[in-house]
């Protein structure tokens, strides 16, 4: 395989041949950049990486590096910058090649150690050099595929340039060809291909939504949607809706924990297939809440689900224990898609669903006597927290404010969260901000104690954000490509971020982006997996159950672990 350092020839008035897609000729400068970017791709990220994931990351990064190198080489020649003297050029090339080789060798040698440090933080089994064959095979396949696509586009541009060159000056023909091809490619990616992907994913996951999880049986409770006397059929709840209404602590379990006097918690839910319109689903949820007597309970939680309609038992069960079952929790499904796809496809759906459901419930709740209606709280995990934020901007909260909102794992699209983090009090870290001395908003994380804020000046309307420093769903951002994030700066890093993780332009963004699908597959207490203890601490601080202590939280976690709720 020959490597040539010559840049692509400048455009001629009459090109005689088109570039070959499967040529074994490579740009020397492009290869230098590809090797350097390969080394960068081995640097640790927020989460541990399996061999195939590292291969994907390296393959994409190599292709980006190669294209940057080719682009710079072509620009250098296009601008007709004079070459360096031969001796100087030889010395410069030798130094650059030496630095690249040393960087690649160092990163390759240290990769396993880097990954094992991340795995130690996450309490995962260490990896070994045996993972290298998988990494190399996947890296080559991904890089080759991307290179073939890039060369195919270049060949298409050359063909269009030749065609237009019969009527226009060569450089103008080339410019028009490139702009038109990029415009078509952009329309395909953002239009046909993306819509096709979402349509296919929706069709696939809608079928999965008709299934019922193993061990889940129809509820016999009149206080649950899908049960006897319910206005919602069991079949229309969807898979995650059936999980929600058929599980949770029983009266006996709550009694055993609290010492007696428990009532059965109310769980109301409406599936996406229950009613064809959003307002119809919201009206049906309100009817279910009225039917079950939810507005006579002490606590009412209006929850925004994740993409599939999921409500995390580690987050909703604790509040039922704390209030001796005198609670009602309500949710409406808005999608069939898993969260990592919903994050891209369903932002409008979750916002509209959250606002419509909340306004429908809140309008009725606000007509009830203030001294006898339940305390009203909002809850959302992941994209659900995005829906909760859309409610917090509602004008209806001015006259009848809610009691609090609990947002867990807020994704990077959450505007309010990002504004609060950017305006945090001086001296507080980006991963665990303090805002306006905690008068309205409190941040907590795994291992941080929020119980103490009860003694502070926290106001009557309380907002809580629960986030892990290692959660890519929270800390991914497109600006990672060209700007070092504050959460990687010295003194700003959270306990989950490996010391060896450094910011590299473009590369870090790809690394964190590839962490997103795996964020929910890590041990509880890391990434996007939030523990029952963190959830319980947040609920206790926000709702302030009478007589609740941190010892009660520890005891509750033990009970939930024994029941299998806490994983």
């Amino acid at each position: 395989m020959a490597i040539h350092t010559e840049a692509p020839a400048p455009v001629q008035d009459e090109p005689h041949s088109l570039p070959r897609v499967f040529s074994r000729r490579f740009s020397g400068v492009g290869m230098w950049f590809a090797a350097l970017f390969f080394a960068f791709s081995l640097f640790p990220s927020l989460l541990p990486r399996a061999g195939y994931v590292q291969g994907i990351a390296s393959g994409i990064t190599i292709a980006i590096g190669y294209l940057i190198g080719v682009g710079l080489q072509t620009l250098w020649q296009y601008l007709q910058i004079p070459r360096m003297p031969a001796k100087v050029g030889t010395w410069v090339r030798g130094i650059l090649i030496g630095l690249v080789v040393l960087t690649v060798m160092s990163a390759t040698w240290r990769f396993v150690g880097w990954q094992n440090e991340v795995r130690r933080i996450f309490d995962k089994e260490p990896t070994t050099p045996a993972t290298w064959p998988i990494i190399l095979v996947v890296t080559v396949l991904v890089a080759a595929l991307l290179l073939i696509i890039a060369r195919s586009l270049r060949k298409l541009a050359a063909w269009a340039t030749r065609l237009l060159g019969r009527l226009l000056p060569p450089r103008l023909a080339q410019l028009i060809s490139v702009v038109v091809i990029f415009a078509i490619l952009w329309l395909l990616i953002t239009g046909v291909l993306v819509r096709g992907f979402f349509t296919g994913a929706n069709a696939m996951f809608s079928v999965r939504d008709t299934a019922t999880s193993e061990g889940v049986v129809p509820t016999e409770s009149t206080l649950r949607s899908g049960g006897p006397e319910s206005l919602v059929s069991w079949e229309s709840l969807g898979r995650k809706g059936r999980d929600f209404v058929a599980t949770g602590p029983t009266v006996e379990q709550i009694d055993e924990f609290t010492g007696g006097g428990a009532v059965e918690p109310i769980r109301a839910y409406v599936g996406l297939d229950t009613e064809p319109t959003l307002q119809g689903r919201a009206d049906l949820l309100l009817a279910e809440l009225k039917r079950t007597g939810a507005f006579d309970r002490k606590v009412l939680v209006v929850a925004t689900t994740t993409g599939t309609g999921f409500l995390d038992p580690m987050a909703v069960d604790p509040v039922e224990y704390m209030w001796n079952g005198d609670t009602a929790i309500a949710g409406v499904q808005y999608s069939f898609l898993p969260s990592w796809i919903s994050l891209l496809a369903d932002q409008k759906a979750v916002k509209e669903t959250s606002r419509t459901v909340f306004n429908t419930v809140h309008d009725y709740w606000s007509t009830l006597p203030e001294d006898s209606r339940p305390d009203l709280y909002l809850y959302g995990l992941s994209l659900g927290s995005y829906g909760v934020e859309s409610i917090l901007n509602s004008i209806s909260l001015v006259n009848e404010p809610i009691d609090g909102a609990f947002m867990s794992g807020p994704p990077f699209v959450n505007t309010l969260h990002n504004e609060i983090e950017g305006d945090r009090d001086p001296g507080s870290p980006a991963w665990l901000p303090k805002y306006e001395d905690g008068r309205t908003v409190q941040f907590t994380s795994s291992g941080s104690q929020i119980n103490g804020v009860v003694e502070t000046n926290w106001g009557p309307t309380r907002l809580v954000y629960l986030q892990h420093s290692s959660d890519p769903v929270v800390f991914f951002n497109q600006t990672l490509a060209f700007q070092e994030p504050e959460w990687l700066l010295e003194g700003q890093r959270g306990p989950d971020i490996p010391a060896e993780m450094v910011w590299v332009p473009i590369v870090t963004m790809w690394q964190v982006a590839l962490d997103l699908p795996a964020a929910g597959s890590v041990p509880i207490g890391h990434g996007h997996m939030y523990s029952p203890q963190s959830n319980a601490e947040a609920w206790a601080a926000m709702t302030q159950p009478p007589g609740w202590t941190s010892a009660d939280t520890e005891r509750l976690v033990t009970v939930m672990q024994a029941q299998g709720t806490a994983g």
Side-chain angles (χ1 to χ4, degrees):
M1 180 182 297
I3 296 178
H4 298 264
T5 59
E6 294 80 6
V11 177
Q12 304 297 325
D13 290 346
E14 292 291 338
H16 297 291
S17 61
L18 298 178
R20 289 187 297 171
V21 173
F22 297 100
S23 171
R24 289 183 294 175
R25 297 169 61 90
F26 298 93
S27 161
V29 176
M31 293 298 287
W32 294 349
F33 273 83
L36 187 62
F37 271 52
F38 171 71
F40 292 155
S41 75
L42 300 178
F43 289 1
S45 185
L46 288 176
L47 303 182
R49 295 188 216 134
Y52 73 93
V53 175
Q54 179 60 57
I56 294 172
S58 294
I60 293 173
T61 309
I62 283 175
I64 293 173
Y66 182 80
L67 293 177
I68 290 175
V70 171
L72 291 175
Q73 189 178 7
T74 304
L75 179 63
W76 183 283
Q77 187 172 27
Y78 183 84
L79 296 176
Q80 299 180 346
I81 299 175
R83 293 186 176 185
M84 291 180 288
K87 289 186 177 180
V88 175
T90 300
W91 274 99
V92 171
R93 281 193 295 272
I95 293 172
L96 291 176
I97 290 174
L99 290 175
V100 170
V101 170
L102 288 175
T103 302
V104 171
M105 291 177 63
S106 174
T108 302
W109 177 259
R110 300 176 65 186
F111 168 75
V112 172
W114 283 336
Q115 280 300 303
N116 284 338
E117 174 60 20
V118 181
R119 288 173 174 270
R120 182 193 62 78
I121 295 173
F122 281 70
D123 298 319
K124 293 178 70 72
E125 290 293 322
T127 189
T128 67
T131 190
W132 268 110
I134 298 175
I135 295 173
L136 294 177
V137 169
V138 176
T139 296
V140 171
L141 290 177
V142 171
L145 176 62
L146 293 176
L147 182 60
I148 289 171
I149 293 173
R151 283 181 168 179
S152 298
L153 292 174
R154 179 169 171 253
K155 184 169 185 176
L156 181 61
W159 173 82
T161 298
R162 170 183 281 182
L163 192 65
L164 292 175
R166 298 172 182 174
L167 304 173
L168 302 172
R171 296 191 186 279
L172 180 59
Q174 184 182 49
L175 177 63
I176 293 175
S177 299
V178 171
V179 170
V180 169
I181 288 173
F182 269 101
I184 293 173
L185 186 64
W186 176 256
L187 290 174
L188 283 174
I189 292 175
T190 59
V192 177
L193 294 181
V194 171
R195 282 198 299 270
F197 170 75
F198 288 148
T199 300
N202 197 63
M204 180 177 67
F205 285 103
S206 64
V207 173
R208 185 178 180 183
D209 193 61
T210 62
T212 301
S213 301
E214 184 179 355
V216 172
V217 297
T219 178
E220 297 297 329
S221 172
T222 59
L223 299 182
R224 304 291 177 104
S225 295
E229 303 179 15
S230 174
L231 304 174
V232 180
S233 69
W234 171 261
E235 292 75 19
S236 71
L237 288 171
R239 180 172 184 166
K240 297 302 182 182
R242 288 188 285 274
D243 290 347
F244 172 63
V245 300
T247 58
T250 64
V251 173
E252 293 74 21
Q253 289 171 331
I254 298 175
D255 267 335
E256 184 179 353
F257 177 77
T258 62
V263 295
E264 182 182 354
I266 294 171
R267 292 193 172 191
Y269 193 95
V270 178
L272 191 56
D273 285 338
T274 306
E275 281 286 331
T277 66
L278 172 55
Q279 187 60 58
R281 293 191 288 274
D283 291 338
L284 188 55
L285 182 72
L286 177 60
E288 278 285 273
L289 291 173
K290 291 179 179 179
R291 179 190 67 81
T292 56
F295 293 99
D296 297 324
R297 295 301 177 96
K298 289 182 178 178
V299 171
L300 171 60
V301 178
V302 178
T304 303
T305 69
T306 63
T308 56
F310 173 68
L311 288 174
D312 186 4
M314 288 186 284
V316 296
D317 288 7
V319 72
E320 294 175 332
Y321 278 104
M322 289 177 184
W323 287 92
N324 216 19
D326 200 4
T327 59
I329 302 176
V332 173
Q333 183 184 18
Y334 57 84
S335 173
F336 300 122
L337 301 175
S339 292
W340 67 275
I341 302 179
S342 289
L343 195 59
L344 304 175
D346 290 327
Q347 292 181 30
K348 182 179 180 181
V350 68
K351 182 181 293 187
E352 291 177 348
T353 299
S354 298
R355 286 179 173 175
T356 302
V357 170
F358 171 76
N359 288 337
T360 301
V361 175
H362 184 264
D363 287 349
Y364 177 78
W365 172 85
S366 62
T367 64
L368 301 175
E370 188 173 349
D371 58 352
S372 61
R373 69 192 181 191
D375 292 342
L376 181 57
Y377 296 95
L378 304 177
Y379 165 71
L381 166 66
S382 193
L383 191 58
S385 71
Y386 176 77
V388 171
E389 282 196 1
S390 71
I391 296 171
L392 296 177
N393 294 323
S394 174
I395 190 65
S396 60
L397 292 182
V398 175
N399 296 323
E400 292 290 348
I402 60 173
D403 293 275
F406 176 26
M407 291 159 283
S408 179
F412 58 91
V413 296
N414 282 29
T415 304
L416 179 60
H417 170 270
N418 295 337
E419 290 177 355
I420 292 173
E421 182 185 300
D423 294 337
R424 66 187 183 276
D425 294 346
S428 63
W431 71 276
L432 196 63
K434 291 182 179 178
Y435 180 72
E436 293 185 348
D437 203 27
R439 287 191 293 271
T440 303
V441 184
Q442 295 284 342
F443 284 78
T444 185
S445 183
S446 178
S448 66
Q449 296 293 320
I450 194 174
N451 298 37
V453 302
V454 176
E455 285 79 35
T456 68
N457 57 347
W458 208 3
T461 298
R462 298 163 177 161
L463 309 184
V464 178
Y465 283 102
L466 170 61
Q467 60 188 43
H468 292 152
S469 59
S470 59
D471 191 349
V473 175
V474 178
F475 293 107
F476 172 80
N477 195 298
Q478 296 89 331
T479 60
L480 284 172
F482 304 107
Q483 181 178 346
E484 184 174 10
E486 290 185 286
W487 49 267
L488 268 183
L489 298 178
E490 189 69 28
Q492 296 279 338
R493 291 173 178 249
D496 277 3
I497 299 179
E500 295 81 3
M501 183 177 179
V502 296
W503 176 74
V504 179
I506 300 177
V507 177
T508 300
M509 186 194 74
W510 277 115
Q511 288 178 322
V512 178
L514 288 172
D515 285 335
L516 289 171
S521 303
V522 296
I524 292 174
H526 304 278
H528 206 52
M529 297 295 291
Y530 292 90
S531 69
Q533 177 155 351
S534 297
N535 281 288
E537 287 174 353
W539 278 118
M542 185 173 66
T543 65
Q544 296 186 17
W548 190 269
T549 66
S550 57
D552 292 324
T553 299
E554 298 292 341
R555 192 163 55 90
L556 175 58
V557 172
T558 301
V559 169
M560 293 178 65
Q561 288 174 337
Q563 295 170 358
T565 307

